[in-house]
Amino acid sequence: MDYQTLTYDVTDGVAVVTLNRPDVMNALNAQMRAELLHGLRQAAGAARAVVLTGAGRAFCAGQDLGDTGNLNTINLERLLRDEYTPILNAIAECPVPVISAVNGVAAGAGANLALAADVVIATDSASFLQAFSKIGLIPDAGGTYTMPRKLGLAKAMGLALFADKLSARAASDMGLIWEVADDASFETTWRARAAYLANGPTQAFIRTKQALRESLGNDMQEQLMLEARLQGECGRTRDFKEGVLAFLDKRPASFEGR
Ligand code: T3D
């Protein structure tokens, strides 16, 4: 696909998808949603780690409010079901870890797109804004699923109702995201994290993602059975043997992802 609204690059096992409509803070129009879905699906089969980030001073300002069409006839249920949900599913179902590298403000569906990733790394000056109530909507793009699970109901409810802008530091302190990096070292930080994943035991990372995501719907016995099955699979990988031998040899492991 010839992307117009994002850039797509795969280098050294890391796919980087960069939302690229900086004039509107990378707001999502129909074309960007289609291209993002395509890019994420491509990346899932082409890399050992995937990064989603934004060009310019924003990560993503959510729905392009200039691209909503006729407000009297707009069908938001269809929009979410047919255009946003497949993107969120593509992140959840991407076998390898997905990092959101949040380079600036993430608002509305842009905030929840960022939070849908497996690992969220934000630059110090970034912020998260559940902007929906400001325009008479509820949090969407998975926000009502993600936020209570990461934060608990009290903080999720407050963010959704009051739409306060949350600094990256506050988001990290609350457990909403994995880490914050200084603006000067932000790109170095997320690239190092992505490289670590791309050079690691990919089969174990795939199953770690699966086990942790599935745990949200499992009881303890189901989860213990899932762990046993997935660990059994890891035990048959070349990377497991290499990891143990490297430990015994007192040398760094060289993982192939198999
Ligand atoms: O509506 C539906 O179809 C339903 C779908 C809903 C899902 C959603 O995502 S609802 C939430 C939509 N997003 C928002 O409500 C956020 C709107 N934007 C803002 O609140 C602010 O722009 C920001 C907090 C993100 C950033 O503020 P600031 O002061 O740093 O920048 P700015 O000056 O407001 O914006 C810069 C430009 O980006 C500006 O254009 P201009 O004046 O330079 O030509 C602004 O209009 C544009 N922009 C920002 N957000 C959007 C946008 N253009 C279109 N859509 C946007 N969402």
Side-chain angles (χ1 to χ4, degrees):
M1 187 182 231
D2 188 16
Y3 299 116
Q4 305 298 316
T5 65
L6 53 83
T7 63
Y8 175 86
D9 174 72
V10 183
T11 303
D12 297 333
V14 177
V16 180
V17 179
T18 305
L19 305 173
N20 191 24
R21 301 182 71 221
D23 292 351
V24 288
M25 309 199 89
N26 302 319
L28 291 145
N29 62 7
Q31 184 176 6
M32 187 187 265
R33 287 191 290 277
E35 292 185 1
L36 179 56
L37 178 60
H38 188 276
L40 288 169
R41 286 177 173 166
Q42 284 286 113
R48 290 167 70 185
V50 177
V51 178
L52 178 61
T53 190
R57 71 184 179 93
F59 174 79
C60 175
Q63 168 68 29
D64 185 337
L65 296 175
D67 188 55
T68 50
N70 186 334
L71 292 177
N72 295 314
T73 57
I74 188 169
N75 183 340
L76 295 182
E77 182 176 352
R78 185 213 64 77
L79 178 72
L80 287 170
R81 204 182 44 226
D82 295 352
E83 300 189 32
Y84 280 93
T85 298
I87 294 169
L88 299 159
N89 284 338
I91 293 171
E93 291 163 8
C94 176
V96 297
V98 178
I99 295 175
S100 284
V102 182
N103 54 298
V105 64
N112 294 333
L113 176 65
L115 297 177
D118 301 303
V119 176
V120 185
I121 302 171
T123 198
D124 208 9
S125 56
S127 54
F128 296 83
L129 176 60
Q130 296 291 325
F132 305 90
S133 65
K134 304 274 189 198
I135 57 169
L137 296 179
I138 67 164
D140 63 19
T144 60
Y145 179 85
T146 310
M147 284 196 297
R149 284 168 172 76
K150 292 192 177 188
L151 295 174
L153 207 49
K155 294 291 187 188
M157 193 70 83
L159 287 176
L161 294 177
F162 298 118
D164 287 358
K165 191 183 267 193
L166 196 64
S167 71
R169 293 273 165 205
S172 178
D173 291 347
M174 289 165 73
L176 188 61
I177 67 172
W178 162 240
E179 72 180 336
V180 184
D182 295 341
D183 290 351
S185 59
F186 169 64
E187 184 165 346
T188 313
T189 301
W190 68 253
R191 285 196 184 278
R193 292 288 192 191
Y196 176 87
L197 294 175
N199 291 301
T202 299
Q203 297 306 317
F205 290 154
I206 288 170
R207 288 164 181 79
T208 300
K209 171 171 177 167
Q210 182 186 347
L212 288 175
R213 284 191 175 257
E214 286 191 22
S215 77
L216 299 174
N218 283 348
D219 65 25
M220 185 173 160
Q221 291 312 312
E222 289 167 332
Q223 193 61 21
L224 292 176
M225 291 303 103
L226 178 65
E227 274 182 12
R229 178 167 67 77
L230 297 177
Q231 198 71 300
E233 292 170 7
C234 286
R236 294 190 286 278
T237 63
R238 291 168 67 109
D239 282 344
F240 168 62
K241 292 186 192 70
E242 164 61 9
V244 174
L245 290 175
F247 176 79
L248 296 175
D249 291 349
K250 300 189 186 303
R251 61 172 171 80
S254 176
F255 293 120
E256 298 173 0
R258 291 188 287 159

